[in-house]
Amino acid sequence: MGERVTTPRADRGRNPDRSPLNWLLLLPIAIPLIPPLFNADEPRLFGIPMFYWLQLAFIILGVTSTTLVYRVTRRSR
């Protein structure tokens, strides 16, 4: 009955890095969710329909944005 219950602080366990560049990580998630961007057969790139080469472009966008955010926001060691 005499025990005191404490709640953990709200900021415990959070990363203190609040860089605005972290918003770039939403690009590879949000852009492929816009069907009018890739709902077409034309233009073709080296004979490959737009849907397929645009999927590869989304992968490159994801890798590039993740690498950029990682390199800019990592801490100096």
Side-chain angles (χ1 to χ4, degrees):
M1 194 183 245
E3 291 182 30
R4 183 176 179 178
V5 179
T6 59
T7 58
R9 289 180 29 187
D11 63 344
R12 185 177 295 175
R14 288 189 184 172
N15 189 356
D17 181 21
R18 304 230 188 262
S19 173
L21 286 175
N22 289 337
W23 287 102
L24 283 177
L25 296 174
L26 289 177
L27 284 178
I29 296 169
I31 290 180
L33 293 175
I34 305 171
L37 287 178
F38 56 87
N39 190 14
D41 186 39
E42 298 288 333
R44 290 178 175 257
L45 184 67
F46 304 113
I48 301 171
M50 181 179 163
F51 176 80
Y52 295 109
W53 63 259
L54 199 56
Q55 295 299 314
L56 291 173
F58 291 153
I59 293 170
I60 293 169
L61 173 69
V63 169
T64 304
S65 61
T66 303
T67 303
L68 177 71
V69 170
Y70 170 73
R71 289 183 183 244
V72 172
T73 59
R74 70 179 174 184
R75 294 180 183 168
S76 302
R77 293 183 181 163

